[in-house]
Amino acid sequence: MIEVKDLHKSFGGTEILKGITTNFEKGKTNLIIGQSGSGKTVFLKCLLGLFNYEQGSIAYDGKVFSKLSENEKRNLRSEIGMVFQGSALFDSMTIAQNVMFPLKMFTKQSKSEMEDRVNFVLKRVNLENAHHKMPSEASGGMQKRVAIARAIVNNPKYLFCDEPNSGLDPKTSIVIDNLIQEITEEYQIITVINSHDMNSVMEIGQKIVFLKNGYKEWEGSKDTIFKTDNASVTDFVYSSNLFKKVRRMYLEENQ
Amino acid sequence: MTYLHNIGAYSLMIVNMFRKPTKWSVMKTLILKDIDDLVIGSIGIVAFISFFVGGVITIQTALNIDNPLIPKYLVGFATRQSIILEFAPTFTSIIMAGKVGSFITSSIGTMRVTEQIDALEVMGINSLNYLILPKTVALMLYPFVIAIGMFLGILGGIAAGVLGGFTSFEDYILGIQTDFTPFHVTYAFVKTFVFAFVLATMPSFYGYYMKGGALEVGKASTTSFVWTSVVIILLNYLLTQMLLS
């Protein structure tokens, strides 16, 4: 479990995160949602250890990140997989080399063992014939799948995804969402997704944390988000007429 | 204040570049790739420029010596001195600040913009060590490029001087042998090593710490070229003062 307690983070005197407390459980897809500027990205970067925070704590399975030595932090980071918004694949490497990269850096596996593992994860994300392509030759959806394959190749305990659906068409978005959820349940990892995409919220939001102006405004799941009467959440999630209608129908059906 | 901040940040970058070393098997591949990109890939342009600049120095020196009392072998002597002392180590390095420096800044800057550096950090990799150390090690072979430049510059001088009728082959050879001081070559290579370090690290600094998007990558490349050139010129003066005076 990842436990976040009273997290505060400021930039140049402006407080971005104002005391966030929550936790993210194993085997669940946890979504962080909120408007632009609500502090989602800063929160995710604090979780990843890319930003230092002034107050509070983040504990990964009981290990408080800020109290770890450099070596312990390095070991913990090797247990983290990350899918970046723009995929962040290494331009100079082929798709197979990108996926193999964490294995080369952190394991002592032989070349054939690494190749077997790469073949396995690329097959898992339905990219069996793309080994020798360069990232620039792959579509947006393919790049996201390669990023997921790279993130899971080293059997991470924690998977973080920043806007995994940005720039993807609705059909590909659903494929990516389902893939992330399947992988989370299959490997029992803790997945934290930063998202704007309301389809993702409704599809895979087993736990949802809603941020507003740096505060945790609400938390629940894809089921409870339909029933909530929190005005900020309903304003944000049901801002489109389509979602308002879906919510009305859901509430009528479940009365 | 910005200058002081940059000097501090640059110094910290150099220190952190040696921390948390990348696995040797990976580092070896990176060094070899950077030798290919930065050193071997620069031989062509350095050879071309050195050969023709050597020719031009010879022609200009010959045309400016019209006093019959000045011996003809001075053309070869002046060409050798200009090329070994100044052109090959310093001016080639400024050309390299444009070629290699812009390449380093733009490639690292693009990695910053596209979150590839964040990806390395999240994985627990020291991105400074992974990205900058191999370039610094690779550019320690840069003096070999300069040696080729020296040789071709002098060769260009022979070609232009003899074929153009500005000097005879015998006079030129006598000139390049006259008053030869081996320490001048040592001085040139000491400068080249220092410039190689600057050529690897300053453009990396501007690429690594850049903020923004594609436009800022372009701006960072330009800034990097300007400051790398300024630092090379200043170090050239300081090293000359220290080693030759």
Side-chain angles (χ1 to χ4, degrees), chain A:
Chain A
M1 182 191 281
I2 300 176
E3 288 174 276
V4 183
K5 280 184 193 159
D6 193 28
L7 195 72
H8 289 258
K9 171 70 188 165
S10 305
F11 287 105
T14 310
E15 201 173 22
I16 307 295
L17 300 180
K18 299 164 183 166
I20 293 178
T21 300
T22 187
N23 56 57
F24 303 113
E25 288 169 32
K26 202 175 184 178
K28 278 190 177 176
T29 42
N30 303 276
L31 270 79
I32 305 167
I33 61 168
Q35 284 182 318
S36 299
S38 58
K40 298 190 302 291
T41 303
V42 174
F43 184 36
L44 193 74
K45 289 197 170 179
C46 286
L47 288 173
L48 286 163
L50 289 175
F51 286 162
N52 294 323
Y53 39 88
E54 290 87 42
Q55 199 184 317
S57 68
I58 301 173
Y60 296 81
D61 293 316
K63 290 179 270 185
V64 179
F65 189 79
S66 56
K67 290 181 182 168
L68 298 179
S69 67
E70 278 304 312
N71 261 351
E72 287 170 329
K73 278 182 185 170
R74 195 182 185 189
N75 291 339
L76 179 68
R77 281 188 169 137
S78 67
E79 294 176 337
I80 290 175
M82 171 75 192
V83 178
F84 283 86
Q85 191 174 359
S87 301
L89 300 177
F90 302 120
D91 302 329
S92 56
M93 298 179 191
T94 63
I95 283 175
Q97 286 168 338
N98 262 285
V99 177
M100 195 184 280
F101 185 78
L103 298 176
K104 268 188 170 177
M105 296 301 289
F106 298 109
T107 70
K108 289 177 181 168
Q109 291 177 12
S110 67
K111 200 170 180 223
S112 63
E113 284 172 323
M114 287 195 271
E115 280 169 356
D116 288 347
R117 179 69 186 154
V118 169
N119 291 339
F120 174 78
V121 288
L122 282 176
K123 195 174 173 186
R124 184 67 193 77
V125 298
N126 302 318
L127 280 175
E128 283 143 303
N129 300 314
H131 290 58
H132 303 295
K133 279 190 176 178
M134 298 304 283
S136 57
E137 295 167 338
S139 66
M142 275 173 86
Q143 288 186 9
K144 283 277 154 62
R145 282 185 280 161
V146 178
I148 293 170
R150 186 178 68 181
I152 63 166
V153 72
N154 207 12
N155 291 318
K157 281 186 177 173
Y158 317 99
L159 177 64
F160 294 93
C161 308
D162 187 14
E163 306 271 2
N165 297 330
S166 77
L168 298 182
D169 62 81
K171 201 175 170 187
T172 313
S173 294
I174 289 169
V175 171
I176 297 292
D177 282 342
N178 290 337
L179 183 63
I180 292 171
Q181 188 166 31
E182 282 166 25
I183 286 167
T184 304
E185 288 170 2
E186 197 175 323
Y187 301 112
Q188 284 296 297
I189 50 185
I190 301 171
T191 298
V192 181
I193 304 168
N194 196 348
S195 186
H196 271 125
D197 187 356
M198 289 309 119
N199 286 323
S200 297
V201 174
M202 302 305 179
E203 194 78 23
I204 59 166
Q206 289 169 316
K207 173 163 184 175
I208 301 163
V209 176
F210 177 75
L211 300 187
K212 189 182 177 187
N213 300 328
Y215 292 102
K216 185 186 79 180
E217 177 75 18
W218 178 87
E219 71 179 11
S221 70
K222 62 181 178 181
D223 300 319
T224 55
I225 206 165
F226 277 110
K227 297 167 196 161
T228 183
D229 50 6
N230 183 309
S232 301
V233 177
T234 52
D235 270 2
F236 177 71
V237 177
Y238 306 107
S239 52
S240 78
N241 288 331
L242 177 67
F243 277 112
K244 277 180 191 142
K245 202 170 172 181
V246 170
R247 184 181 185 229
R248 204 166 48 239
M249 286 165 68
Y250 176 89
L251 292 174
E252 281 167 11
E253 272 177 29
N254 289 279
Q255 260 178 0

Side-chain angles (χ1 to χ4, degrees), chain B residues 91-112:
Chain B
F91 290 97
T92 306
S93 296
I94 289 173
I95 292 162
M96 292 289 276
K99 187 196 177 285
V100 170
S102 299
F103 170 74
I104 292 174
T105 306
S106 56
S107 58
I108 295 180
T110 305
M111 288 186 78
R112 169 63 73 199

Side-chain angles (χ1 to χ4, degrees), chain B residues 59-240:
Chain B
I59 294 169
Q60 286 181 352
T61 311
L63 291 177
N64 282 289
I65 297 174
D66 49 5
N67 189 328
L69 294 174
I70 299 175
K72 286 285 179 199
Y73 66 77
L74 206 70
V75 175
F77 173 82
T79 305
R80 183 202 73 201
Q81 289 297 84
S82 307
I83 285 172
I84 290 180
L85 290 174
E86 211 48 42
F87 172 75
T90 309
F91 290 97
T92 306
S93 296
I94 289 173
I95 292 162
M96 292 289 276
K99 187 196 177 285
V100 170
S102 299
F103 170 74
I104 292 174
T105 306
S106 56
S107 58
I108 295 180
T110 305
M111 288 186 78
R112 169 63 73 199
V113 171
T114 55
E115 297 179 308
Q116 291 174 51
I117 293 179
D118 286 344
L120 289 169
E121 289 291 325
V122 168
M123 287 180 207
I125 295 162
N126 177 1
S127 55
L128 289 170
N129 180 270
Y130 181 84
L131 293 172
I132 304 173
L133 189 66
K135 290 175 176 45
T136 311
V137 174
L139 275 172
M140 289 301 114
L141 292 178
Y142 174 58
F144 287 103
V145 179
I146 295 303
I148 293 169
M150 285 175 183
F151 173 75
L152 288 173
I154 291 169
L155 197 69
I158 298 178
V162 175
L163 297 176
F166 298 100
T167 181
S168 69
F169 181 76
E170 291 74 21
D171 280 339
Y172 192 91
I173 296 295
L174 178 65
I176 61 174
Q177 291 173 331
T178 302
D179 284 339
F180 177 69
T181 314
F183 181 71
H184 285 173
V185 179
T186 310
Y187 154 78
F189 282 120
V190 169
K191 287 206 298 188
T192 308
F193 268 113
V194 175
F195 297 161
F197 186 79
V198 172
L199 278 173
T201 53
M202 282 204 64
S204 298
F205 172 77
Y206 282 100
Y208 191 87
Y209 291 105
M210 65 144 296
K211 289 189 175 89
L215 185 65
E216 281 75 16
V217 174
K219 283 181 183 167
S221 295
T222 311
T223 314
S224 144
F225 171 68
V226 171
W227 281 106
T228 307
S229 307
V230 168
V231 169
I232 286 173
I233 297 286
L234 286 174
L235 287 173
N236 184 41
Y237 171 75
L238 290 172
L239 288 168
T240 305

